[in-house]
Amino acid sequence: MRLLRLEAVAYGVLRGWRMEPAPGFTVLLGRNESGKTTARDAVVTLLFGFEPQTAERHPYRPWRGGGPEDGEGEGRLVLRGEVRLDGGETLAVERVLASAPRGSVVRVEAGGRTRRHRLRNEPLLAGRVSRLLYQSAFAVGAADLRMFERPAWEALEALLLGGAHDEAFEPAARVALGLEREAAQLWRPDRVGSPEAKQLQKRRSELREALREAERRAERAREALAAAEAARKAREELRARREELSAQGERLRRLEAMAASLRRLDELRARAGDPVLLEGLPADPVGELLRLEAEVEERERETASLRARREALEEEARLPDADRAALSLAGVVERARRAADALPRLREAAEELALRSRAASEAVSAKAEALLAPGAALSLAELGAALARIPEAEIEARAADWEAAAEEARAQAGRLAERRAVLAEMAGRDSRARRPWPLGVALGASLAALGGLLLALGLSTAGERALAGIAASALGAAALGAAAFLLAHEARRREPSLESRLEAELAPYAAEAEGAQKKAEEAARRAQAAVRAIPFAPALLEAPGRRLAQAVADLRRLTGAAREAEARHKQELAALEEALAEIRGAAQSLVAAGALGGRAEDADPDELARAVLARYEAARRAEEEARDARRRIEALEDELRAVRERLLAAQAARERLCERLRPFGDDARRAAHEAKERETAYQAARQLEDALFGGPGQPSLEDARREVEGAVRSGDLPWTDERRARLAAELERLAQEERAADEEYERRMSDYRDVASGPTPEELAAELASVEEAYADVCRRRDRLALLLSIVRRAEAAFREAHRPDVLRRASHHLACFTEGRYDRLDLGDPPEEEWERRAVREALTDGARPQKAEAALFVAGPALALGGADRLWAAPPLSQGTLHQVHLALRLAVVDHLDEGEERLPVLLDDPLVHWDRGRRQAALRRLAEWSSERQVLFFTCHEHVAFEARDLGAAVVEIEAG
């Protein structure tokens, strides 16, 4: 397998980092903390999945969130890569870890076909090498160059030395160790410790001795139990005799009480007499008679009281004529009430509307003073009439026309001014460009000045001979200047007038401006004609635009508001007068009907309204009181009838009771007392008979009489005090003897419990049989474990011998290359962890002490070693740390070769394993790795530039790592 591409989108410090290593030997160079170890772990994760499988606990959780280009969120780990298998097939891999791992793999076969599979957290290839073995043998750093850790050693043993190919099975060495432990827990021939067989033998001896002792205790318990049974029988006999005498005494006491109850019953029946006379009488005749007499008196008093109340209510129910007359004018009074209720509102509204009317008139006056011409005086009506003659739409249209015409006139005047300025500027430029006379004047003046200058210079510096030439030159220059001046003057005289040309150009613009001005003046006259009915101020008429239309609208609005306020004020005054008329009319009607005194014409309206309403309310109250009195009379009549009925019923009940009491005497009250005493005796006799005779478990009255008469005839009755004393003495003697027998029984039972405590012989015999069976089972299990241990040990030794030579041969070759021939042989002793575990088991079974951990059983040899003729050395103490690292690296590379034999060759990741090597052995190791990379891909991580340069000289590709 070759890693073609690795892209760490978000993995620890690597963000957006991409690497494309060479197929063979690649050196990844980076400073400390640049991400070399992170990149190595990213390769392992790409091949075998995330560990741990949650982003929160993963050590390479991104520091600044996930990759932005694919929308990964904060804290997600994202890896992408591409590998090519040894068979030529290409795999594109993506792994993402958020709350759970997910990913995908796309297979690109040799023919170009692709297949996509979902990848959760499974390894990329399901092979013999697990993640643990890969990290221990294939991904090696300087700190890992020692003997394999115990988990890695067991996994390696499972593949090479133990023969297991499934992680679900234990390695053979651990299986053998477990069998040894289990066998030692069952049985040991040296009888050291406490194995299960030894414990069962001890328990068997204890149970046999306990069984013999239990049989002796059982014999003594039988004797004690027989004695206790004899004491119990004696106690039961005494108890039976005592209970018999107690029953006899109880019977005599019962018969004596029964005889007394029979005598009392006969007395009560004699006092009650004939029970037929008591039938139908109340339980308390005296109380009932007194109650009926009191009820009759009470009902007679209630009847008299109700009659008096009825007469008073009949007087209240009569309504006076004045109140009746007032109530007949209910409609008139109701209208007066509504008028009185409306008076405050009407007065307040009238006052408010008066204020509003004055305010509106004042607003119209103020607005007119501001808008009209000085001295113009128009009343509100005149102003309103004048405004009504002005059409609202017409004045707005004419004002808008004037605004448009004025705007057009201003625009035309502006365009005329602009054009005049433009033409003036153009004329100035043209005159300067075409007219030659200014230039001629300037040239003539210049030439004349030049001639004068030459003449002055010649006179001051030249001799006589040159004076003639200079004078000639000066005269020539002056002549030329004069000619130029004359030509310019003639051109100026012949040029047309500038003002005439400007007037010709501006004539159209002036005509348009004049026409626009005339239209504006015409529009102003039309607007002024529309409002001539109102003398507006000259300022408004001079510019009759929107301000004039707005002035007309304001005056129309204010005038309308003033007229409306005046009209509403008049309406409220009319409503107020109408309300006052209603109140006076109601008062006159009441006076005319005799329900109200005085005169209604001159009274104050408010006082008059209060008097009318008060009189009507008084009449209504009187009518309500009369109506209430009639209702109470009706209710009183019903109550009076009910009281009369109750009175008649009470009188009838008293007569009936007196009739029933006549057999007991002529006087009703004495007869009631007699009847009550007889009823009391009769009830007492019945209660006594019900309590003593005829109930559940009780004899009937006849049987009780016969039993009592029989006891009297036999002499058992009467029950004297002497006989009671003799019976009590006998019972006390029997009770003492019973207590003594009870104490004897308890003493015997205590003896029995003492000897019968502990397990029974049957229980001990059953437990002994169970222990015997368990001991036999331990022997059978011991023999089976011994057989299994022998089989496993033999199979383990055979399989180890099949794989060890190839691993050691390859490791020796690597070591010889690293040490340049100093060491050419590497050997292994027994697996140290296995031997250590065996000793730990043996010593823990003896004294519980745990031995110290043994060192690795590594041996090296070679031509350079000759110590006492021996060719084997103990590896750890005599060798330097660098040499030990070389031995362990050789062993790991050999394990890699052996594991990949016939399998997919996985990339090897080396993280600065040469840090403790000298220069010569380091270069030898780099040469060996360069040769070895022809068979598999090697990724070498280092922070040393000289190591990277040395590897590059040997053909390695160098990739620099910079954290994203």
Side-chain angles (χ1 to χ4, degrees):
M1 174 189 291
R2 310 283 177 169
L3 179 64
L4 303 180
R5 175 177 56 84
L6 175 64
E7 183 179 355
V9 179
Y11 199 84
V13 298
L14 300 177
R15 292 174 55 85
W17 179 76
R18 181 185 177 92
M19 173 187 69
E20 295 182 359
F25 193 12
T26 301
V27 176
L28 288 93
L29 175 63
R31 297 187 302 274
N32 291 331
E33 297 186 355
S34 62
K36 299 188 301 299
T37 306
T38 305
R40 188 184 76 175
D41 191 83
V43 175
V44 177
T45 301
L46 187 72
L47 298 179
F48 291 93
F50 292 99
E51 182 65 34
Q53 299 186 22
T54 57
E56 289 76 8
R57 295 188 300 155
H58 202 281
Y60 293 105
R61 181 182 182 185
W63 297 348
R64 299 188 300 276
E69 64 278 339
D70 58 355
E72 298 294 340
E74 180 73 20
R76 294 190 178 188
L77 288 83
V78 184
L79 289 175
R80 298 191 183 98
E82 187 176 353
V83 299
R84 177 180 292 120
L85 303 182
D86 293 343
E89 185 179 9
T90 303
L91 305 180
V93 187
E94 181 182 33
R95 293 187 185 270
V96 179
L97 178 62
S99 58
R102 60 181 174 85
S104 64
V105 56
V106 179
R107 294 181 178 270
V108 182
E109 300 177 353
R113 292 188 306 167
T114 61
R115 289 181 298 168
R116 186 181 184 89
H117 303 280
R118 186 170 62 178
L119 192 65
R120 291 186 177 88
N121 206 44
E122 301 87 358
L124 189 60
L125 296 177
R128 300 171 61 192
V129 179
S130 65
R131 182 191 186 97
L132 176 62
L133 268 182
Y134 188 84
Q135 288 179 318
S136 300
F138 290 76
V140 182
D144 301 322
L145 292 179
R146 58 184 184 278
M147 280 304 293
F148 288 99
E149 297 291 338
R150 179 171 177 174
W153 181 268
E154 291 178 352
L156 182 62
E157 182 189 31
L159 287 178
L160 302 180
L161 309 178
H165 294 278
D166 193 338
E167 294 183 0
F169 297 103
E170 291 282 346
R174 296 197 67 181
V175 172
L177 181 61
L179 291 174
E180 284 186 355
R181 286 177 174 174
E182 189 174 356
Q185 291 174 359
L186 294 177
W187 179 84
R188 294 184 61 151
D190 53 5
R191 303 185 63 80
V192 175
S194 298
E196 189 174 349
K198 184 176 180 181
Q199 296 176 11
L200 290 173
Q201 289 174 348
K202 180 180 178 181
R203 181 59 181 162
R204 182 176 61 182
S205 300
E206 293 174 352
L207 287 174
R208 287 175 178 172
E209 180 62 28
L211 179 60
R212 290 191 290 271
E213 178 63 25
E215 291 174 348
R216 291 192 292 269
R217 287 199 316 273
E219 182 61 28
R220 291 197 302 271
R222 283 192 292 272
E223 295 175 357
L225 186 61
E229 183 64 22
R232 186 187 66 78
K233 289 181 179 179
R235 184 188 64 182
E236 294 298 328
E237 291 176 357
L238 289 171
R239 182 176 296 170
R241 176 58 181 162
R242 183 173 60 80
E243 290 177 353
E244 181 183 357
L245 288 178
S246 297
Q248 183 179 359
E250 183 64 28
R251 173 178 172 274
L252 292 176
R253 283 192 294 272
R254 181 178 62 79
L255 289 174
E256 184 180 21
M258 188 180 296
S261 298
L262 289 173
R263 289 193 297 272
R264 176 60 180 164
L265 182 59
D266 292 340
E267 292 174 358
L268 290 174
R269 285 183 172 178
R271 179 67 184 90
D274 188 5
V276 177
L277 297 177
L278 299 175
E279 293 180 358
L281 285 176
D284 184 11
V286 176
E288 182 66 15
L289 179 62
L290 295 176
R291 186 187 65 78
L292 290 174
E293 291 177 350
E295 185 177 359
V296 169
E297 293 178 0
E298 178 65 23
R299 297 295 175 261
E300 289 175 350
R301 286 196 298 271
E302 287 182 5
T303 302
S305 176
L306 289 174
R307 286 174 179 170
R309 288 173 56 192
R310 184 179 61 183
E311 293 176 357
L313 289 174
E314 288 175 350
E315 182 64 26
E316 293 178 5
R318 295 188 185 94
L319 186 64
D321 295 338
D323 292 336
R324 190 176 292 108
L327 292 173
S328 64
L329 298 172
V332 176
V333 173
E334 184 61 29
R335 290 194 297 272
R337 181 193 303 278
R338 289 196 296 268
D341 292 339
L343 277 180
R345 179 183 59 80
L346 292 173
R347 288 170 176 164
E348 183 178 356
E351 292 176 0
E352 182 179 356
L353 288 174
L355 294 176
R356 289 184 181 179
S357 179
R358 283 195 298 272
S361 299
E362 291 173 356
V364 172
S365 300
K367 194 67 175 177
E369 184 178 356
L371 296 176
L372 300 183
L378 292 178
S379 65
L380 181 62
E382 292 173 345
L383 185 59
L387 289 171
R389 291 193 296 270
I390 300 175
E392 185 175 357
E394 181 180 354
I395 184 59
E396 290 181 356
R398 293 187 179 182
D401 291 344
W402 179 86
E403 289 278 354
E407 182 64 26
E408 179 64 21
R410 283 192 295 272
Q412 291 294 341
R415 284 194 292 272
L416 177 61
E418 278 183 21
R419 189 60 181 169
R420 179 177 284 111
V422 170
L423 290 176
E425 184 178 356
M426 291 173 60
R429 288 198 301 268
D430 291 345
S431 62
R432 286 191 298 270
R434 293 196 303 265
R435 289 175 295 179
W437 65 268
L439 181 58
V441 173
L443 181 59
S446 299
L447 290 175
L450 178 60
L453 180 61
L454 291 175
L455 182 59
L457 290 174
L459 292 176
S460 61
T461 61
E464 295 179 356
R465 192 178 295 177
L467 182 59
I470 294 172
S473 299
L475 291 175
L480 288 175
F485 181 79
L486 292 175
L487 289 174
H489 178 71
E490 182 63 20
R492 173 72 178 89
R493 187 180 61 80
R494 294 180 180 181
E495 186 180 42
S497 174
L498 177 62
E499 289 79 3
S500 61
R501 286 193 292 114
L502 289 177
E503 290 298 332
E505 289 287 339
L506 293 176
Y509 293 95
E512 291 179 359
E514 185 178 359
Q517 182 62 33
K518 290 180 179 180
K519 290 180 181 180
E521 293 173 357
E522 179 63 24
R525 285 193 295 271
R526 287 197 300 270
Q528 293 167 1
V531 296
R532 60 175 169 271
I534 301 175
F536 281 107
L540 284 176
L541 295 177
E542 289 174 0
R546 290 190 180 88
R547 288 183 57 206
L548 181 61
Q550 185 63 42
V552 173
D554 292 343
L555 286 175
R556 182 179 284 112
R557 175 177 54 79
L558 293 174
T559 304
R563 296 175 67 181
E564 182 182 357
E566 184 178 0
R568 290 186 59 190
H569 182 221
K570 292 178 179 179
Q571 291 176 359
E572 290 298 326
L573 290 177
L576 180 60
E577 288 298 329
E578 185 179 354
L580 294 175
E582 287 288 347
I583 294 172
R584 292 191 185 93
Q588 291 173 358
S589 299
L590 287 175
V591 170
L596 185 65
R599 292 175 57 85
E601 290 79 2
D602 303 330
D604 181 71
D606 293 331
E607 294 293 336
L608 194 59
R610 283 194 291 272
V612 169
L613 295 177
R615 184 63 188 90
Y616 181 73
E617 290 298 327
R620 286 189 58 186
R621 285 195 298 273
E623 182 187 26
E624 186 62 30
E625 291 174 358
R627 188 180 299 112
D628 183 62
R630 287 193 293 274
R631 285 195 297 268
R632 283 186 288 167
I633 288 173
E634 292 175 359
L636 192 61
E637 288 291 342
D638 295 339
E639 186 178 357
L640 185 58
R641 281 193 296 272
V643 170
R644 286 173 181 170
E645 291 174 359
R646 288 195 293 272
L647 174 60
L648 294 176
Q651 291 173 347
R654 184 183 61 180
E655 291 299 328
R656 287 194 299 272
L657 181 58
C658 291
E659 186 65 26
R660 292 296 307 280
L661 292 175
R662 279 200 182 87
F664 302 100
D666 295 333
D667 185 79
R669 293 194 177 183
R670 290 180 181 178
H673 283 287
E674 178 65 18
K676 182 176 181 181
E677 291 176 0
R678 291 190 182 184
E679 177 66 23
T680 301
Y682 177 73
Q683 294 298 332
R686 288 188 60 185
Q687 291 175 1
L688 182 61
E689 184 177 354
D690 293 340
L692 298 177
F693 310 107
Q698 295 177 341
S700 62
L701 181 59
E702 291 75 11
D703 293 340
R705 287 186 185 278
R706 284 193 297 270
E707 188 177 2
V708 169
E709 290 173 358
V712 171
R713 285 194 298 270
S714 64
D716 292 338
L717 290 179
W719 178 239
T720 63
D721 294 339
E722 182 181 358
R723 295 175 65 187
R724 288 192 183 90
R726 286 201 303 271
L727 181 60
E730 182 65 15
L731 288 173
E732 180 63 23
R733 183 184 66 80
L734 290 174
Q736 292 177 357
E737 293 180 358
E738 183 181 353
R739 285 194 292 272
D742 190 55
E743 292 174 358
E744 177 66 15
Y745 172 74
E746 291 296 333
R747 185 174 62 80
R748 297 293 184 181
M749 285 302 298
S750 176
D751 295 341
Y752 168 72
R753 285 191 290 270
D754 290 341
V755 297
S757 61
T760 64
E762 292 77 8
E763 294 173 347
L764 291 172
E767 186 177 358
L768 179 60
S770 176
V771 171
E772 293 283 0
E773 179 63 26
Y775 182 73
D777 181 65
V778 166
C779 293
R780 289 191 295 271
R781 290 162 55 197
R782 175 201 62 193
D783 296 340
R784 184 168 62 253
L785 289 173
L787 178 60
L788 290 174
L789 180 60
S790 176
I791 294 172
V792 170
R793 286 297 184 198
R794 290 178 183 178
E796 177 189 6
F799 199 84
R800 183 184 297 115
E801 291 302 322
H803 287 278
R804 178 181 294 178
D806 182 64
V807 174
L808 296 180
R809 178 182 58 80
R810 296 174 184 271
S812 299
H813 177 64
H814 288 306
L815 183 62
C817 293
F818 295 162
T819 61
E820 298 178 319
R822 179 176 178 83
Y823 304 112
D824 61 358
R825 183 180 173 191
L826 178 65
D827 197 5
L828 282 172
D830 289 335
E833 291 290 336
E834 178 185 345
E835 181 61 28
W836 176 70
E837 288 282 0
R838 287 175 180 161
R839 290 205 304 273
V841 170
R842 289 196 295 271
E843 295 184 20
L845 292 174
T846 56
D847 57 4
R850 188 173 181 85
Q852 296 296 321
K853 186 173 182 179
E855 294 294 337
L858 278 173
F859 301 95
V860 295
L865 296 180
L867 299 176
D871 60 350
R872 289 163 62 91
L873 292 178
W874 184 249
L879 300 180
S880 66
Q881 184 179 13
T883 306
L884 282 177
H885 280 193
Q886 295 150 20
V887 171
H888 288 298
L889 181 60
L891 181 60
R892 273 174 166 74
L893 298 184
V895 169
V896 167
D897 284 335
H898 191 80
L899 287 176
D900 281 352
E901 187 69 28
E903 300 287 337
E904 189 74 32
R905 295 182 179 274
L906 301 176
V908 175
L909 314 177
L910 302 177
D911 190 358
D912 254 346
L914 314 180
V915 67
H916 296 295
W917 298 27
D918 58 54
R919 185 173 182 274
R921 293 193 179 184
R922 183 179 68 244
Q923 291 180 347
L926 292 175
R927 284 194 299 271
R928 178 58 188 151
L929 291 175
E931 297 170 0
W932 196 53
S933 64
S934 63
E935 303 174 3
R936 68 176 65 251
Q937 189 178 35
V938 178
L939 302 181
F940 191 97
F941 299 84
T942 183
C943 62
H944 302 290
E945 294 183 357
H946 63 277
V947 175
F949 296 154
E950 292 172 358
R952 185 174 57 188
D953 294 340
L954 296 173
V958 178
V959 176
E960 293 189 7
I961 297 179
E962 291 293 338

